Amino acid sequence: MENKPRRKTLTTLAGAPIADNQNSLTAGPRGPLLMQDVQLLQQMQRFNRERIPERVVHAKGSGAYGTFTVTNDVTRYTRAAFLSEVGKETEVFVRFSTVAGERGAADAERDVRGFAVKFYTEEGNWDLVGNNTPVFFVRDPHKFQMFIHTQKRHPRTNLRDMNMQWDFWSLCPESLHQVTILFSDRGIPRTLRHMNGYGSHTYSLINDRGERVWCKFHFKTQEGHAFYTDAEAAEVIGQDRESHQRDLFYAIEEGNYPRWTFCIQVMTDEQARDFRWNPFDLTKVWPHAEFPLIEVGVLELNRNPENYFAEVEQAAFEPSSLVPGIGPSPDKMLQARLMSYADTHLYRIGPNYHQLPVNQPRACEAHTYIHRDGPMFMPRDSGHPNYFPNSYDDAPKEAPEYREPDWDLGSVTVARHDSRVGHDDYTQAGNLYRLFDEAQQQRLAENIARSLGQAREDIQRRQLAHFHRADPDYGRRVAVALGLPPETAEAAANEHAVSS
Ligand code: NDP
């Protein structure tokens, strides 16, 4: 006998069968409607509540599941269980995003890309909430929200505004390194598969002897780097605003799984004290020659989510989700993000966002006394007792073996330490410029000029001074691309005192 699939009956939310799903209940064929048409009312009410607040940053995203496989022994640096042996596999979920764009923004816009990875480890979820750049625009979190305002719409015109963007950047020279990366070729990756990811912040690693080192994380694309020029990107966006989502989704559907090599850089505390830059400054990289990349494993994305909203839109990454063996560092930006990411999920998704399938631990269970009730609470057990300490043998207990080593801060002064003075904002931006070949330098200058040219003239001159200080050729090239005499940048540098 033929095995026919069972007919699925359409139902209400409560599971009752629906006989007619196309006609409203009316008094006569011309109406009016009846209040008792709960089917229609339910549909209208649910529709009105389909959106959750969009992320203030990283609103437009693409996500996929995958596998992380350890390829090298790093147990001398970290006790993290998921890194404990070569060949060990851990399930991951990755969400890529643009930073400034809204939910409807085009994928191929010039922007930093978010590169957030959730490792479902047996000792809890580890979220490495990174970007596709190794540095950031500011080093003090007090400037973060202000910076993001410059990337969003002008309060009056409701338009993106190059004037606000360059006004802020030209007044914050610590942004120069990241600005140089953003306007370089890597500022518009061709696909999400053709770009690196970086933890960007400095973190700490702790081994099973309780020894701590400082660490930076890198995901190096195995697909190679590929980019769009501004002109190519404009053409792509004209045809397809979802080019990155489309590429990633179908690459995975077709079994063309993207891979990245996961690496660390390691610095001892002693090296950190003597290093010529503040190793906890998010606007700086650690030169590869001095702190070589150490391979750790391979990240492969190999499964698309079944439901975009449930798994990608409701995914919640927070740098505060750390696991034993991986910890924070004094990096001021990281310290602020430890609070602000979890806080935004509480607002955006609600107090029980941890319990959604994509956010739950998958290789272990969470047992906590702090997570009580609230909207949409879905407990796995009765939750009794709901206080600590308690006298119940089967209730969750502390695990003193996970105690972290003390953190010696030495003799410090509490103050609003000025993050603008005493920093070299130019050498690393200049190093990057000098690393580019002539064609890359020229594209960089022209990309900048297309944007900076829309800002006020005094702002253009202030920013030209920064380019000149990074490298005189950088300053000249941008000045010429702006249609100004080549010596304008040097003259501007003489006019504007160095703020650091
Ligand atoms: P290194 O020669 O040791 O490092 C150069 C690194 O620059 C490369 O490994 C590569 O990083 C990155 N790079 C190469 N080409 C480009 C490009 N077209 N656009 C952006 N990045 C590129 O020198 P340093 O470590 O002193 O770094 C020099 C500059 O390179 C830095 O100031 C920084 O701007 C940039 N950079 C450095 C990174 C680091 O961790 N040291 C990481 C990324 C950029 P990758 O291998 O990650 O692709």
Side-chain angles (χ1 to χ4, degrees):
M1 214 177 100
E2 201 185 333
N3 195 5
K4 280 195 184 157
R6 247 188 87 224
R7 199 182 71 155
K8 245 188 215 171
T9 302
L10 181 69
T11 71
T12 63
L13 291 170
I18 290 179
D20 178 347
N21 198 42
Q22 301 185 60
N23 299 298
S24 306
L25 196 60
T26 54
R30 295 187 177 188
L33 291 167
L34 263 64
M35 272 295 281
Q36 77 184 56
D37 190 354
V38 286
Q39 206 175 298
L40 173 67
L41 297 182
Q42 236 181 29
Q43 183 169 311
M44 291 195 292
Q45 289 166 332
R46 286 300 181 290
F47 182 75
N48 285 346
R49 289 163 178 77
E50 279 180 8
R51 296 287 174 275
I52 56 174
E54 99 172 15
R55 293 166 168 88
V56 186
V57 280
H58 298 278
K60 176 85 185 286
S62 300
Y65 294 94
T67 314
F68 175 75
T69 310
V70 179
T71 54
N72 189 25
D73 182 3
V74 289
T75 52
R76 66 187 175 285
Y77 299 119
T78 178
R79 65 181 296 180
F82 79 105
L83 298 176
S84 62
E85 60 184 292
V86 172
K88 189 160 187 175
E89 293 188 354
T90 298
E91 187 185 7
V92 297
F93 180 73
V94 177
R95 183 175 180 274
F96 303 104
S97 52
T98 45
V99 175
E102 296 147 355
R103 270 286 265 126
D107 286 345
E109 287 177 357
R110 185 172 296 285
D111 201 349
V112 175
R113 263 64 187 178
F115 194 120
V117 187
K118 191 181 287 294
F119 295 78
Y120 298 102
T121 95
E122 63 267 53
E123 288 178 340
N125 290 350
W126 176 42
D127 291 351
L128 182 56
V129 193
N131 279 335
N132 71 336
T133 63
V135 296
F136 196 65
F137 297 92
V138 292
R139 60 169 68 93
D140 190 313
H142 224 303
K143 286 188 173 178
F144 179 82
Q145 293 75 20
M146 298 298 108
F147 162 64
I148 295 299
H149 285 174
T150 74
Q151 303 295 297
K152 297 285 178 179
R153 293 169 187 272
H154 187 283
R156 181 148 189 260
T157 63
N158 197 36
L159 299 170
R160 284 289 295 276
D161 190 310
M162 295 306 111
N163 213 51
M164 358 192 248
Q165 172 170 287
W166 287 101
D167 191 20
F168 180 88
W169 283 340
S170 66
L171 290 167
C172 300
E174 68 269 33
S175 61
L176 185 63
H177 195 183
Q178 177 78 320
V179 166
T180 305
I181 297 174
L182 177 60
F183 285 90
S184 78
D185 292 341
R186 290 194 186 181
I188 315 181
R190 186 170 280 257
T191 80
L192 299 166
R193 299 177 293 131
H194 292 91
M195 65 182 200
N196 286 352
Y198 302 88
S200 307
H201 296 287
T202 297
Y203 288 84
S204 54
L205 296 180
I206 299 159
N207 66 16
D208 55 8
R209 293 188 297 280
E211 296 159 338
R212 181 187 277 115
V213 289
W214 307 116
C215 161
K216 288 217 185 252
F217 297 106
H218 301 248
F219 292 99
K220 291 176 78 80
T221 173
Q222 292 187 6
E223 319 297 309
H225 286 274
F227 68 95
Y228 285 131
T229 62
D230 277 350
E232 288 168 337
E235 202 165 309
V236 169
I237 292 169
Q239 307 283 330
D240 184 2
R241 298 178 65 77
E242 329 300 336
S243 52
H244 285 178
Q245 167 74 16
R246 195 178 312 283
D247 174 84
L248 182 70
F249 185 87
Y250 286 106
I252 293 173
E253 285 298 283
E254 287 156 17
N256 183 11
Y257 302 143
R259 292 190 183 92
W260 288 261
T261 308
F262 185 53
C263 302
I264 52 174
Q265 285 177 292
V266 168
M267 188 186 283
T268 64
D269 199 35
E270 201 178 7
Q271 287 173 313
R273 269 183 252 128
D274 296 337
F275 191 46
R276 61 188 174 289
W277 288 298
N278 171 6
F280 311 112
D281 175 352
L282 186 54
T283 69
K284 298 286 189 299
V285 296
W286 297 356
H288 289 183
E290 289 166 79
F291 300 95
L293 295 185
I294 301 165
E295 188 178 317
V296 180
V298 174
L299 169 72
E300 176 188 273
L301 296 183
N302 48 31
R303 185 161 63 87
N304 279 312
E306 286 304 315
N307 184 290
Y308 178 87
F309 182 85
E311 293 158 272
V312 186
E313 187 63 9
Q314 293 196 121
F317 297 86
E318 51 203 35
S320 46
S321 281
L322 293 160
V323 292
I326 302 175
S329 82
D331 179 340
K332 298 177 194 181
M333 290 288 290
L334 173 60
Q335 292 276 326
R337 291 178 78 212
L338 293 176
M339 189 290 287
S340 72
Y341 275 60
D343 184 59
T344 195
H345 304 318
L346 290 170
Y347 163 70
R348 190 174 68 86
I349 314 175
N352 290 312
Y353 69 91
H354 283 107
Q355 294 184 331
L356 294 172
V358 68
N359 298 327
Q360 268 177 11
R362 291 182 172 217
C364 62
E365 281 185 13
H367 302 287
T368 166
Y369 296 101
I370 64 169
H371 195 180
R372 298 294 314 163
D373 308 347
M376 309 297 164
F377 184 57
M378 292 171 286
R380 282 189 175 175
D381 52 36
S382 79
H384 173 76
N386 63 352
Y387 57 89
F388 187 85
N390 60 58
S391 318
Y392 294 86
D393 290 342
D394 58 350
K397 300 280 180 289
E398 295 163 309
E401 66 274 23
Y402 288 109
R403 188 176 171 273
E404 290 195 357
D406 294 344
W407 193 352
D408 181 6
L409 291 180
S411 160
V412 294
T413 314
V414 173
R416 292 193 184 271
H417 295 280
D418 197 333
S419 66
R420 294 163 301 177
V421 296
H423 293 278
D424 168 7
D425 294 322
Y426 301 108
T427 303
Q428 290 205 352
N431 287 346
L432 181 60
Y433 180 79
R434 289 181 284 276
L435 186 138
F436 295 154
D437 64 27
E438 162 92 26
Q440 288 174 311
Q441 291 175 341
Q442 191 54 30
R443 284 194 295 272
L444 167 72
E446 289 171 10
N447 292 340
I448 290 173
R450 267 187 290 277
S451 173
L452 180 58
Q454 300 173 54
R456 263 173 26 189
E457 209 182 307
D458 57 324
I459 293 172
Q460 291 183 25
R461 288 181 73 84
R462 189 163 57 216
Q463 185 65 34
L464 280 172
H466 298 314
F467 296 136
H468 171 82
R469 288 189 193 108
D471 191 296
D473 185 66
Y474 191 179
R476 272 194 298 274
R477 216 179 267 274
V478 178
V480 171
L482 283 166
L484 299 169
E487 60 279 7
T488 314
E490 187 173 3
N494 292 333
E495 276 165 35
H496 290 279
V498 189
S499 63
S500 55

